[in-house]
Amino acid sequence: MLEKLAEIKSKAIDELSSLSDLRELEAWRVRYLGKKSELTQILRGLASLPLEERKAVSASANELKAFFETSHRENKESLKERAYQEMEAATVGRQITLPTGIPSAETFGIPDVTLPGRPIPLGRLHPTTQMLCRICDIFVALGFQVVEGPEVEWDYYNFEALNIPPDHPARDMFATFWIETESGQRPMLLRTHTSPMQIRVMERTQPPVRVVVPGKVYRYEATDATHESMFYQIEGLAVDEHTTFSDLKGTLYEFAKRLFGEERRVRFRCDYFPFVEPGVEMAIDCMACGGSGCRLCSGTGWIEILGAGMVHPDVLRRVNYDPEVYTGFAFGLGLERIPMLLYGIDDIRLFYSNDLRFLRQF
Ligand code: FA5
């Protein structure tokens, strides 16, 4: 009987080494450990053996059974791993067409539903959208409301109501994309700035007014490292009794401090915009070079981020606000310039060239 056990063992080991998949292993298990296997028959017949022989055969048979069980377990693990790797190699990189309706595992050609799922790349907000939310949050905390307006605008709101009648030289400041209209219709354009929303807001609201208006604007001009033909602006407008130029400076200083940190330097210089009096431009010392001059700041050490000023009395009159009672300030901020400063981005064109290597950094 002991020779028989040795014979079974050697045959089983031979077969085990040539198994190639889990199905063959299962057949092997049934053959050597199943109810009808030779080993099980020997174990069942132990009681009929003489005592001495029973002891020896029982020890060897149970040892062989334990050996078979261990071998089965180990081979099952390694064959499973091999099957998993083969399946993964066959499915990775395969083109998948999304079906309509509820997709099943088979639709994707993945036979084993226990395989780990494919990672689905997560989208994210565009860097200018992120910055827009951050800036609006600051102004909301300072008591401003966020409103939006049309990108296709009447000449009246974009220019005339802002003290820029036809043939005014200030129209040259805003290279314009005009929209073809029927003859006799009022001229239309892609807004060149968010300032027309000053008029639209004041026309429908009584003071006190405190709004910020984020949105896209368009300029028909050549692009370079700091100029795009489509970019974002955020307009600010505050009108009330006794609003002064100090309120304008205080608000913009506070904004700059909250966004850029205490250590940044801010510069105000006189500027001209027909719809404010006096007008200023606000600049921040260049973060890329620390103020010594580089490509980003065109060698000046400063980057202009916004134009601002006290709302012109004629503009107030046009919306039926009495300039003897009400005064206000307004500002218009170039949005892309802000992340450029904060993250040292030296070319504005990166924002809208859809290069994922750039966009994924934010
Ligand atoms: C204006 O657009 C005025 N409407 C701003 C204003 C509002 C003044 C309220 C007074 C009161 P300006 O053309 O300077 O002004 O543009 C404002 C900001 O937009 C600039 O400081 C700059 O940061 C940004 N900007 C201007 N042109 C471009 C451009 N082509 N590409 C990217 N950013 C630009």
Side-chain angles (χ1 to χ4, degrees):
M1 194 66 78
L2 290 175
E3 286 104 74
K4 180 73 185 160
L5 286 171
E7 201 183 294
I8 295 171
K9 184 174 181 180
S10 114
K11 199 165 159 231
I13 289 173
D14 271 0
E15 285 180 20
L16 199 57
S17 61
S18 61
L19 298 182
S20 57
D21 60 30
L22 288 164
R23 216 165 22 86
E24 287 179 13
L25 178 70
E26 179 56 13
W28 179 91
R29 187 194 66 77
V30 172
R31 214 158 38 248
Y32 292 100
L33 283 166
K35 282 183 199 155
K36 292 182 187 161
S37 67
E38 286 179 288
L39 180 60
T40 306
Q41 299 308 321
I42 291 171
L43 284 164
R44 279 196 188 143
L46 283 175
S48 60
L49 293 176
L51 188 60
E52 280 311 303
E53 195 183 350
R54 191 193 311 162
K55 274 189 192 166
V57 173
S58 168
S60 294
N62 278 307
E63 204 176 287
L64 187 59
K65 187 179 178 197
F67 170 75
F68 282 169
E69 283 167 350
T70 312
S71 303
H72 175 256
R73 204 171 37 249
E74 288 172 358
N75 277 271
K76 190 172 178 180
E77 283 311 309
S78 63
L79 286 171
K80 238 181 173 175
E81 179 61 25
R82 200 201 302 173
Y84 176 83
Q85 281 170 4
E86 282 170 5
M87 209 171 308
E88 202 178 41
T91 50
V92 165
R94 187 189 293 170
Q95 196 66 36
I96 288 177
T97 316
L98 281 176
T100 51
I102 302 168
S104 65
E106 282 87 337
T107 327
F108 292 114
I110 303 168
D112 185 350
V113 292
T114 63
L115 280 174
R118 277 164 211 278
I120 298 169
L122 275 185
R124 66 194 77 203
L125 291 177
H126 190 278
T128 46
T129 312
Q130 291 183 34
M131 192 47 67
L132 193 144
C133 295
R134 204 167 140 191
I135 293 173
C136 286
D137 282 351
I138 293 178
F139 283 109
V140 166
L142 295 176
F144 287 74
Q145 227 185 324
V146 181
V147 295
E148 287 181 307
E151 287 171 29
V152 177
E153 190 53 282
W154 299 109
D155 175 291
Y156 174 77
Y157 287 107
N158 197 83
F159 290 130
E160 285 190 43
L162 292 168
N163 290 344
I164 316 176
D167 304 325
H168 191 291
R171 289 212 176 198
D172 293 345
M173 291 162 67
F174 305 101
T176 308
F177 285 106
W178 291 96
I179 291 181
E180 257 181 50
T181 49
E182 304 273 310
S183 71
Q185 261 205 332
R186 290 184 291 157
M188 287 193 107
L189 43 83
L190 292 182
R191 67 178 176 192
T192 56
H193 53 170
T194 41
S195 299
M197 277 302 286
Q198 289 185 29
I199 307 295
R200 285 182 177 275
V201 168
M202 289 192 285
E203 270 182 351
R204 63 175 190 231
T205 332
Q206 283 305 304
V209 171
R210 262 196 299 274
V211 292
V212 283
V213 189
K216 287 188 193 124
V217 303
Y218 302 83
R219 302 239 176 130
Y220 183 50
E221 59 186 28
T223 61
D224 62 26
T226 50
H227 293 84
E228 257 293 3
S229 47
M230 187 288 292
F231 58 100
Y232 278 78
Q233 284 191 341
I234 299 184
E235 191 80 6
L237 175 71
V239 185
D240 202 351
E241 292 175 30
H242 316 301
T243 301
T244 66
F245 194 80
S246 303
D247 295 319
L248 162 66
K249 282 182 81 178
T251 306
L252 293 177
Y253 266 131
E254 185 59 28
F255 157 69
K257 208 166 70 181
R258 292 192 188 193
L259 189 64
F260 298 110
E262 300 275 351
E263 71 283 3
R264 284 269 71 79
R265 287 183 300 146
V266 174
R267 183 186 74 179
F268 283 98
R269 285 208 310 196
C270 290
D271 203 348
Y272 171 69
F273 301 96
F275 38 96
V276 288
E277 182 56 40
V280 290
E281 61 144 64
M282 185 174 115
I284 305 280
D285 61 330
C286 179
M287 282 180 175
C289 62
S292 58
C294 66
R295 176 175 172 223
L296 180 61
C297 59
S298 311
T300 62
W302 294 93
I303 298 199
E304 177 209 323
I305 58 164
L306 60 85
M310 299 304 290
V311 181
H312 197 290
D314 285 349
V315 172
L316 293 175
R317 255 181 235 113
R318 206 161 283 123
V319 293
N320 297 323
Y321 282 12
D322 183 351
E324 299 299 322
V325 181
Y326 297 111
T327 47
F329 68 80
F331 58 87
L333 178 138
L335 184 75
E336 291 78 3
R337 303 264 169 104
I338 311 284
M340 286 175 81
L341 271 169
L342 281 172
Y343 307 129
I345 299 163
D346 66 358
D347 198 322
I348 193 172
R349 290 166 292 195
L350 286 166
F351 285 99
Y352 307 115
S353 54
N354 290 335
D355 186 338
L356 287 177
R357 291 168 305 176
F358 171 74
L359 296 174
R360 283 196 176 121
Q361 296 176 74
F362 300 94

mmCIF file of all heavy atoms in Angstrom, residues 69-103:
data_model
loop_
_atom_site.group_PDB
_atom_site.id
_atom_site.type_symbol
_atom_site.label_atom_id
_atom_site.label_comp_id
_atom_site.label_asym_id
_atom_site.label_seq_id
_atom_site.Cartn_x
_atom_site.Cartn_y
_atom_site.Cartn_z
ATOM 1 N N GLU A 69 -3.171 19.098 -0.722
ATOM 2 C CA GLU A 69 -3.962 20.301 -0.429
ATOM 3 C C GLU A 69 -3.105 21.575 -0.527
ATOM 4 O O GLU A 69 -3.511 22.574 -1.105
ATOM 5 C CB GLU A 69 -4.613 20.198 0.965
ATOM 6 C CG GLU A 69 -5.827 19.281 0.941
ATOM 7 C CD GLU A 69 -6.323 18.904 2.342
ATOM 8 O OE1 GLU A 69 -5.614 19.191 3.333
ATOM 9 O OE2 GLU A 69 -7.402 18.309 2.435
ATOM 10 N N THR A 70 -1.882 21.492 0.039
ATOM 11 C CA THR A 70 -0.980 22.659 -0.030
ATOM 12 C C THR A 70 -0.619 22.963 -1.490
ATOM 13 O O THR A 70 -0.638 24.119 -1.932
ATOM 14 C CB THR A 70 0.316 22.395 0.765
ATOM 15 O OG1 THR A 70 -0.041 21.885 2.027
ATOM 16 C CG2 THR A 70 1.146 23.649 0.945
ATOM 17 N N SER A 71 -0.270 21.885 -2.236
ATOM 18 C CA SER A 71 0.115 22.093 -3.642
ATOM 19 C C SER A 71 -1.039 22.728 -4.416
ATOM 20 O O SER A 71 -0.833 23.615 -5.245
ATOM 21 C CB SER A 71 0.457 20.764 -4.319
ATOM 22 O OG SER A 71 1.470 20.140 -3.621
ATOM 23 N N HIS A 72 -2.258 22.248 -4.128
ATOM 24 C CA HIS A 72 -3.420 22.791 -4.841
ATOM 25 C C HIS A 72 -3.584 24.295 -4.555
ATOM 26 O O HIS A 72 -3.759 25.110 -5.457
ATOM 27 C CB HIS A 72 -4.679 22.032 -4.411
ATOM 28 C CG HIS A 72 -5.924 22.610 -5.009
ATOM 29 N ND1 HIS A 72 -6.787 23.389 -4.267
ATOM 30 C CD2 HIS A 72 -6.423 22.561 -6.269
ATOM 31 C CE1 HIS A 72 -7.769 23.800 -5.055
ATOM 32 N NE2 HIS A 72 -7.576 23.296 -6.276
ATOM 33 N N ARG A 73 -3.461 24.634 -3.261
ATOM 34 C CA ARG A 73 -3.635 26.044 -2.865
ATOM 35 C C ARG A 73 -2.592 26.935 -3.544
ATOM 36 O O ARG A 73 -2.913 27.961 -4.133
ATOM 37 C CB ARG A 73 -3.526 26.159 -1.334
ATOM 38 C CG ARG A 73 -4.227 27.358 -0.770
ATOM 39 C CD ARG A 73 -4.324 27.382 0.747
ATOM 40 N NE ARG A 73 -3.174 26.873 1.440
ATOM 41 C CZ ARG A 73 -3.150 25.731 2.142
ATOM 42 N NH1 ARG A 73 -4.221 24.975 2.215
ATOM 43 N NH2 ARG A 73 -2.042 25.342 2.759
ATOM 44 N N GLU A 74 -1.321 26.490 -3.481
ATOM 45 C CA GLU A 74 -0.243 27.324 -4.044
ATOM 46 C C GLU A 74 -0.386 27.486 -5.559
ATOM 47 O O GLU A 74 -0.233 28.559 -6.114
ATOM 48 C CB GLU A 74 1.125 26.718 -3.717
ATOM 49 C CG GLU A 74 1.482 26.884 -2.252
ATOM 50 C CD GLU A 74 2.751 26.130 -1.867
ATOM 51 O OE1 GLU A 74 3.352 25.435 -2.734
ATOM 52 O OE2 GLU A 74 3.122 26.225 -0.688
ATOM 53 N N ASN A 75 -0.704 26.379 -6.224
ATOM 54 C CA ASN A 75 -0.850 26.450 -7.693
ATOM 55 C C ASN A 75 -2.050 27.295 -8.098
ATOM 56 O O ASN A 75 -2.017 27.976 -9.122
ATOM 57 C CB ASN A 75 -0.972 25.045 -8.275
ATOM 58 C CG ASN A 75 0.404 24.442 -8.449
ATOM 59 O OD1 ASN A 75 1.035 24.613 -9.487
ATOM 60 N ND2 ASN A 75 0.911 23.775 -7.415
ATOM 61 N N LYS A 76 -3.094 27.254 -7.261
ATOM 62 C CA LYS A 76 -4.276 28.045 -7.582
ATOM 63 C C LYS A 76 -3.922 29.538 -7.574
ATOM 64 O O LYS A 76 -4.282 30.287 -8.480
ATOM 65 C CB LYS A 76 -5.377 27.757 -6.546
ATOM 66 C CG LYS A 76 -6.710 28.332 -6.930
ATOM 67 C CD LYS A 76 -7.777 27.843 -5.985
ATOM 68 C CE LYS A 76 -9.102 28.476 -6.350
ATOM 69 N NZ LYS A 76 -10.171 28.063 -5.484
ATOM 70 N N GLU A 77 -3.159 29.955 -6.547
ATOM 71 C CA GLU A 77 -2.758 31.364 -6.453
ATOM 72 C C GLU A 77 -1.935 31.788 -7.659
ATOM 73 O O GLU A 77 -2.174 32.819 -8.285
ATOM 74 C CB GLU A 77 -1.925 31.607 -5.166
ATOM 75 C CG GLU A 77 -2.741 31.670 -3.896
ATOM 76 C CD GLU A 77 -3.940 32.601 -4.016
ATOM 77 O OE1 GLU A 77 -3.758 33.757 -4.428
ATOM 78 O OE2 GLU A 77 -5.083 32.157 -3.752
ATOM 79 N N SER A 78 -0.926 30.950 -8.014
ATOM 80 C CA SER A 78 -0.038 31.390 -9.095
ATOM 81 C C SER A 78 -0.753 31.363 -10.450
ATOM 82 O O SER A 78 -0.547 32.233 -11.291
ATOM 83 C CB SER A 78 1.260 30.581 -9.124
ATOM 84 O OG SER A 78 0.960 29.243 -9.381
ATOM 85 N N LEU A 79 -1.664 30.380 -10.652
ATOM 86 C CA LEU A 79 -2.397 30.352 -11.927
ATOM 87 C C LEU A 79 -3.381 31.522 -12.037
ATOM 88 O O LEU A 79 -3.576 32.086 -13.097
ATOM 89 C CB LEU A 79 -3.148 29.027 -12.076
ATOM 90 C CG LEU A 79 -2.257 27.812 -12.396
ATOM 91 C CD1 LEU A 79 -3.044 26.517 -12.310
ATOM 92 C CD2 LEU A 79 -1.624 27.948 -13.778
ATOM 93 N N LYS A 80 -3.956 31.916 -10.877
ATOM 94 C CA LYS A 80 -4.878 33.059 -10.853
ATOM 95 C C LYS A 80 -4.129 34.325 -11.241
ATOM 96 O O LYS A 80 -4.590 35.127 -12.056
ATOM 97 C CB LYS A 80 -5.412 33.236 -9.423
ATOM 98 C CG LYS A 80 -6.895 33.179 -9.294
ATOM 99 C CD LYS A 80 -7.183 33.389 -7.845
ATOM 100 C CE LYS A 80 -8.609 33.540 -7.519
ATOM 101 N NZ LYS A 80 -8.819 33.628 -6.087
ATOM 102 N N GLU A 81 -2.958 34.500 -10.661
ATOM 103 C CA GLU A 81 -2.146 35.682 -10.938
ATOM 104 C C GLU A 81 -1.769 35.736 -12.425
ATOM 105 O O GLU A 81 -1.849 36.774 -13.076
ATOM 106 C CB GLU A 81 -0.890 35.627 -10.043
ATOM 107 C CG GLU A 81 0.091 36.777 -10.220
ATOM 108 C CD GLU A 81 -0.505 38.139 -9.891
ATOM 109 O OE1 GLU A 81 -1.463 38.200 -9.103
ATOM 110 O OE2 GLU A 81 -0.025 39.142 -10.480
ATOM 111 N N ARG A 82 -1.397 34.544 -12.966
ATOM 112 C CA ARG A 82 -1.014 34.499 -14.378
ATOM 113 C C ARG A 82 -2.219 34.880 -15.266
ATOM 114 O O ARG A 82 -2.114 35.657 -16.203
ATOM 115 C CB ARG A 82 -0.516 33.083 -14.741
ATOM 116 C CG ARG A 82 0.325 33.122 -16.020
ATOM 117 C CD ARG A 82 0.431 31.799 -16.716
ATOM 118 N NE ARG A 82 1.000 30.734 -15.905
ATOM 119 C CZ ARG A 82 1.042 29.467 -16.326
ATOM 120 N NH1 ARG A 82 0.567 29.143 -17.505
ATOM 121 N NH2 ARG A 82 1.543 28.538 -15.562
ATOM 122 N N ALA A 83 -3.406 34.343 -14.903
ATOM 123 C CA ALA A 83 -4.610 34.644 -15.698
ATOM 124 C C ALA A 83 -4.924 36.136 -15.643
ATOM 125 O O ALA A 83 -5.269 36.765 -16.645
ATOM 126 C CB ALA A 83 -5.792 33.857 -15.155
ATOM 127 N N TYR A 84 -4.741 36.716 -14.460
ATOM 128 C CA TYR A 84 -5.023 38.140 -14.275
ATOM 129 C C TYR A 84 -4.100 38.987 -15.162
ATOM 130 O O TYR A 84 -4.540 39.896 -15.853
ATOM 131 C CB TYR A 84 -4.808 38.482 -12.802
ATOM 132 C CG TYR A 84 -4.971 39.942 -12.488
ATOM 133 C CD1 TYR A 84 -6.227 40.495 -12.262
ATOM 134 C CD2 TYR A 84 -3.858 40.778 -12.426
ATOM 135 C CE1 TYR A 84 -6.373 41.836 -11.986
ATOM 136 C CE2 TYR A 84 -4.002 42.122 -12.153
ATOM 137 C CZ TYR A 84 -5.252 42.643 -11.925
ATOM 138 O OH TYR A 84 -5.385 43.965 -11.663
ATOM 139 N N GLN A 85 -2.809 38.609 -15.149
ATOM 140 C CA GLN A 85 -1.846 39.389 -15.943
ATOM 141 C C GLN A 85 -2.123 39.272 -17.439
ATOM 142 O O GLN A 85 -2.046 40.239 -18.183
ATOM 143 C CB GLN A 85 -0.413 38.922 -15.651
ATOM 144 C CG GLN A 85 0.093 39.500 -14.341
ATOM 145 C CD GLN A 85 1.404 38.883 -13.906
ATOM 146 O OE1 GLN A 85 1.985 38.061 -14.613
ATOM 147 N NE2 GLN A 85 1.847 39.270 -12.732
ATOM 148 N N GLU A 86 -2.499 38.053 -17.870
ATOM 149 C CA GLU A 86 -2.785 37.871 -19.293
ATOM 150 C C GLU A 86 -3.988 38.708 -19.717
ATOM 151 O O GLU A 86 -4.006 39.336 -20.759
ATOM 152 C CB GLU A 86 -3.060 36.390 -19.589
ATOM 153 C CG GLU A 86 -1.762 35.589 -19.668
ATOM 154 C CD GLU A 86 -2.020 34.073 -19.725
ATOM 155 O OE1 GLU A 86 -3.203 33.664 -19.806
ATOM 156 O OE2 GLU A 86 -1.044 33.339 -19.660
ATOM 157 N N MET A 87 -4.993 38.724 -18.825
ATOM 158 C CA MET A 87 -6.202 39.458 -19.152
ATOM 159 C C MET A 87 -5.936 40.962 -19.200
ATOM 160 O O MET A 87 -6.414 41.684 -20.059
ATOM 161 C CB MET A 87 -7.247 39.170 -18.079
ATOM 162 C CG MET A 87 -8.634 39.257 -18.619
ATOM 163 S SD MET A 87 -9.804 38.669 -17.445
ATOM 164 C CE MET A 87 -9.220 37.111 -16.996
ATOM 165 N N GLU A 88 -5.113 41.417 -18.256
ATOM 166 C CA GLU A 88 -4.795 42.840 -18.206
ATOM 167 C C GLU A 88 -4.023 43.238 -19.461
ATOM 168 O O GLU A 88 -4.315 44.244 -20.101
ATOM 169 C CB GLU A 88 -3.968 43.149 -16.971
ATOM 170 C CG GLU A 88 -4.062 44.583 -16.585
ATOM 171 C CD GLU A 88 -3.260 44.860 -15.327
ATOM 172 O OE1 GLU A 88 -2.144 44.311 -15.213
ATOM 173 O OE2 GLU A 88 -3.747 45.597 -14.494
ATOM 174 N N ALA A 89 -3.051 42.391 -19.855
ATOM 175 C CA ALA A 89 -2.255 42.696 -21.046
ATOM 176 C C ALA A 89 -3.154 42.761 -22.278
ATOM 177 O O ALA A 89 -2.955 43.566 -23.169
ATOM 178 C CB ALA A 89 -1.180 41.635 -21.236
ATOM 179 N N ALA A 90 -4.186 41.925 -22.264
ATOM 180 C CA ALA A 90 -5.068 41.896 -23.441
ATOM 181 C C ALA A 90 -6.024 43.082 -23.466
ATOM 182 O O ALA A 90 -6.476 43.499 -24.516
ATOM 183 C CB ALA A 90 -5.871 40.602 -23.444
ATOM 184 N N THR A 91 -6.350 43.667 -22.293
ATOM 185 C CA THR A 91 -7.364 44.739 -22.286
ATOM 186 C C THR A 91 -6.765 46.132 -22.222
ATOM 187 O O THR A 91 -7.349 47.068 -22.735
ATOM 188 C CB THR A 91 -8.337 44.577 -21.099
ATOM 189 O OG1 THR A 91 -7.568 44.405 -19.930
ATOM 190 C CG2 THR A 91 -9.278 43.441 -21.303
ATOM 191 N N VAL A 92 -5.565 46.291 -21.644
ATOM 192 C CA VAL A 92 -4.985 47.631 -21.536
ATOM 193 C C VAL A 92 -4.727 48.190 -22.928
ATOM 194 O O VAL A 92 -4.203 47.506 -23.793
ATOM 195 C CB VAL A 92 -3.676 47.591 -20.710
ATOM 196 C CG1 VAL A 92 -2.882 48.883 -20.902
ATOM 197 C CG2 VAL A 92 -3.991 47.393 -19.252
ATOM 198 N N GLY A 93 -5.117 49.436 -23.138
ATOM 199 C CA GLY A 93 -4.860 50.090 -24.425
ATOM 200 C C GLY A 93 -5.892 49.741 -25.476
ATOM 201 O O GLY A 93 -5.871 50.267 -26.566
ATOM 202 N N ARG A 94 -6.834 48.840 -25.136
ATOM 203 C CA ARG A 94 -7.830 48.494 -26.146
ATOM 204 C C ARG A 94 -8.808 49.658 -26.333
ATOM 205 O O ARG A 94 -9.194 50.315 -25.384
ATOM 206 C CB ARG A 94 -8.608 47.257 -25.685
ATOM 207 C CG ARG A 94 -9.525 46.740 -26.756
ATOM 208 C CD ARG A 94 -10.423 45.670 -26.223
ATOM 209 N NE ARG A 94 -9.719 44.458 -25.862
ATOM 210 C CZ ARG A 94 -10.298 43.462 -25.190
ATOM 211 N NH1 ARG A 94 -11.534 43.556 -24.812
ATOM 212 N NH2 ARG A 94 -9.613 42.389 -24.889
ATOM 213 N N GLN A 95 -9.153 49.919 -27.568
ATOM 214 C CA GLN A 95 -10.067 51.023 -27.866
ATOM 215 C C GLN A 95 -11.462 50.645 -27.389
ATOM 216 O O GLN A 95 -11.972 49.580 -27.739
ATOM 217 C CB GLN A 95 -10.068 51.241 -29.376
ATOM 218 C CG GLN A 95 -10.648 52.557 -29.825
ATOM 219 C CD GLN A 95 -9.779 53.718 -29.357
ATOM 220 O OE1 GLN A 95 -8.568 53.594 -29.327
ATOM 221 N NE2 GLN A 95 -10.398 54.800 -28.970
ATOM 222 N N ILE A 96 -12.073 51.464 -26.578
ATOM 223 C CA ILE A 96 -13.406 51.152 -26.087
ATOM 224 C C ILE A 96 -14.417 52.117 -26.689
ATOM 225 O O ILE A 96 -14.238 53.323 -26.641
ATOM 226 C CB ILE A 96 -13.449 51.246 -24.550
ATOM 227 C CG1 ILE A 96 -12.691 50.059 -23.961
ATOM 228 C CG2 ILE A 96 -14.870 51.260 -24.045
ATOM 229 C CD1 ILE A 96 -12.611 50.084 -22.476
ATOM 230 N N THR A 97 -15.473 51.597 -27.267
ATOM 231 C CA THR A 97 -16.532 52.464 -27.789
ATOM 232 C C THR A 97 -17.648 52.466 -26.771
ATOM 233 O O THR A 97 -18.153 51.403 -26.399
ATOM 234 C CB THR A 97 -17.075 51.892 -29.111
ATOM 235 O OG1 THR A 97 -15.961 51.490 -29.882
ATOM 236 C CG2 THR A 97 -17.892 52.924 -29.856
ATOM 237 N N LEU A 98 -18.012 53.630 -26.281
ATOM 238 C CA LEU A 98 -19.061 53.688 -25.272
ATOM 239 C C LEU A 98 -20.406 53.360 -25.903
ATOM 240 O O LEU A 98 -20.785 53.956 -26.909
ATOM 241 C CB LEU A 98 -19.118 55.072 -24.641
ATOM 242 C CG LEU A 98 -18.052 55.328 -23.575
ATOM 243 C CD1 LEU A 98 -18.151 56.762 -23.096
ATOM 244 C CD2 LEU A 98 -18.211 54.383 -22.399
ATOM 245 N N PRO A 99 -21.114 52.387 -25.345
ATOM 246 C CA PRO A 99 -22.408 52.029 -25.912
ATOM 247 C C PRO A 99 -23.496 52.963 -25.388
ATOM 248 O O PRO A 99 -23.288 53.645 -24.402
ATOM 249 C CB PRO A 99 -22.623 50.629 -25.365
ATOM 250 C CG PRO A 99 -21.895 50.640 -24.068
ATOM 251 C CD PRO A 99 -20.755 51.611 -24.174
ATOM 252 N N THR A 100 -24.642 52.960 -26.044
ATOM 253 C CA THR A 100 -25.762 53.694 -25.466
ATOM 254 C C THR A 100 -26.442 52.745 -24.501
ATOM 255 O O THR A 100 -26.268 51.535 -24.577
ATOM 256 C CB THR A 100 -26.752 54.120 -26.567
ATOM 257 O OG1 THR A 100 -27.052 52.955 -27.334
ATOM 258 C CG2 THR A 100 -26.166 55.187 -27.451
ATOM 259 N N GLY A 101 -27.226 53.246 -23.574
ATOM 260 C CA GLY A 101 -27.900 52.399 -22.596
ATOM 261 C C GLY A 101 -26.939 52.014 -21.489
ATOM 262 O O GLY A 101 -25.851 52.574 -21.345
ATOM 263 N N ILE A 102 -27.328 51.024 -20.698
ATOM 264 C CA ILE A 102 -26.489 50.641 -19.558
ATOM 265 C C ILE A 102 -25.422 49.662 -20.024
ATOM 266 O O ILE A 102 -25.746 48.584 -20.514
ATOM 267 C CB ILE A 102 -27.342 49.994 -18.448
ATOM 268 C CG1 ILE A 102 -28.419 51.007 -18.018
ATOM 269 C CG2 ILE A 102 -26.500 49.575 -17.276
ATOM 270 C CD1 ILE A 102 -29.494 50.412 -17.153
ATOM 271 N N PRO A 103 -24.137 50.032 -19.911
ATOM 272 C CA PRO A 103 -23.092 49.139 -20.412
ATOM 273 C C PRO A 103 -22.873 47.957 -19.475
ATOM 274 O O PRO A 103 -22.973 48.092 -18.264
ATOM 275 C CB PRO A 103 -21.857 50.037 -20.449
ATOM 276 C CG PRO A 103 -22.146 51.148 -19.504
ATOM 277 C CD PRO A 103 -23.619 51.255 -19.335
#
